[in-house]
Amino acid sequence: LSGGCAGACQVLVTNPLEITKIRLQVEGETARLLAAAGKSTPAPQSFLTIARDLGIVGLYKGSASCLLRDIPFSAIYFPVYTACKEWLMKRDNSTQASASNLMIAGAMAGVPAAFLTTPADVIKTRLQVVPRDGETAYAGIRNCTHTIYKQEGLSAFFKGSGLRVIRTSPQFAITLFTYEKLSRLLGLTAKDPPTNAPVDPRDYRSAFPTREIGHKTKDIDGLLQNMGLNILKPFDKEKK
């Protein structure tokens, strides 16, 4: 659930960059095809010109398909990464993952996450690319999914899955390795809760009824007094 929420949050930031990147990547091919057909080619565009042409709404075109890809990706990736890291630590009989274990766990988790979300990535790309003359224009996720399946078959949804795995696995291996190392370096890793935290007298009384622990109450109170606490003092007042 945490991974899925993280994937949803990143779409809010990355979707405008994603659609702009795709438009810039296909711009050269579009110009070449137009020139071959004897048509005028548009002037080269930049990030700012594309953003200005699309507007706020246009920059988030295909965001639903991005959510369809990134939420499952993160929901798969982070639990698998944690499980792989813990398994590697247990194998090495270590309390802390080594640098190699972090890289291996990150790469291993990227394989199922990238492969299983390839269909959503294919749909997202088809929706965000500007259709050229003779190419199919899609009306939405459902229409795109139905059209791809009808015209190209099920295998079309996994086109480029191998390259996607090859790109994503090392990418996230490096990302999680850097995150883990910087967290340790900056002291941001989670620490065990203190065991000498003050105890409320009511909690103490409900957890350790006198009739059940008998004379050990004084022994426990003596230990707590060594830590600067006097738990039995409220009970003494009640007796008076």
Side-chain angles (χ1 to χ4, degrees):
L1 180 60
S2 299
C5 290
C9 291
Q10 79 170 15
V11 171
L12 298 176
V13 179
T14 60
N15 196 83
L17 300 175
E18 182 77 12
I19 191 169
T20 306
K21 180 203 72 171
I22 292 174
R23 296 290 177 94
L24 289 172
Q25 287 177 335
V26 301
E27 184 181 46
E29 184 182 1
T30 302
R32 180 181 62 82
L33 292 174
L34 290 173
K39 298 180 180 180
S40 60
T41 58
Q45 291 184 304
S46 65
F47 173 82
L48 292 177
T49 55
I50 293 175
R52 192 181 303 113
D53 291 341
L54 291 175
I56 296 296
V57 176
L59 286 173
Y60 283 93
K61 180 180 180 181
S63 58
S65 58
C66 275
L67 291 171
L68 187 65
R69 177 195 65 177
D70 291 346
I71 290 178
F73 179 93
S74 298
I76 295 169
Y77 182 85
F78 287 104
V80 174
Y81 168 75
T82 302
C84 290
K85 183 176 70 172
E86 291 177 352
W87 175 76
L88 291 169
M89 290 168 56
K90 186 177 180 180
R91 185 197 63 176
D92 295 345
N93 195 23
S94 173
T95 58
Q96 193 175 66
S98 63
S100 60
N101 284 347
L102 292 175
M103 293 290 288
I104 293 171
M108 290 173 64
V111 174
F115 180 79
L116 294 175
T117 56
T118 298
D121 188 62
V122 170
I123 294 170
K124 177 200 72 69
T125 303
R126 297 284 184 100
L127 288 173
Q128 291 183 330
V129 171
V130 178
R132 297 188 290 262
D133 292 339
E135 291 186 339
T136 304
Y138 303 103
I141 294 177
R142 181 179 296 181
N143 174 259
C144 182
T145 304
H146 177 74
T147 304
I148 292 174
Y149 179 75
K150 184 178 179 180
Q151 295 182 353
E152 304 175 50
L154 185 63
S155 61
F157 290 104
F158 289 92
K159 286 182 178 179
S161 57
L163 291 175
R164 179 168 157 77
V165 169
I166 292 172
R167 179 189 72 97
T168 303
S169 289
Q171 173 190 350
F172 277 85
I174 295 170
T175 300
L176 268 295
F177 167 78
T178 305
Y179 166 78
E180 296 269 13
K181 284 298 184 181
L182 285 178
S183 295
R184 295 175 189 174
L185 182 64
L186 299 175
L188 300 178
T189 52
K191 298 180 179 179
D192 294 331
T195 57
N196 61 342
V199 181
D200 186 275
R202 289 171 296 182
D203 296 335
Y204 179 86
R205 183 169 48 190
S206 61
F208 303 101
T210 304
R211 64 178 181 274
E212 292 185 10
I213 63 173
H215 65 278
K216 290 191 177 294
T217 303
K218 293 184 178 181
D219 296 336
I220 295 173
D221 182 59
L223 293 173
L224 293 174
Q225 283 183 1
N226 291 335
M227 294 184 285
L229 302 172
N230 189 355
I231 298 300
L232 290 184
K233 190 174 181 180
F235 297 103
D236 294 336
K237 290 182 178 179
E238 289 179 6
K239 290 179 181 179
K240 292 178 181 179

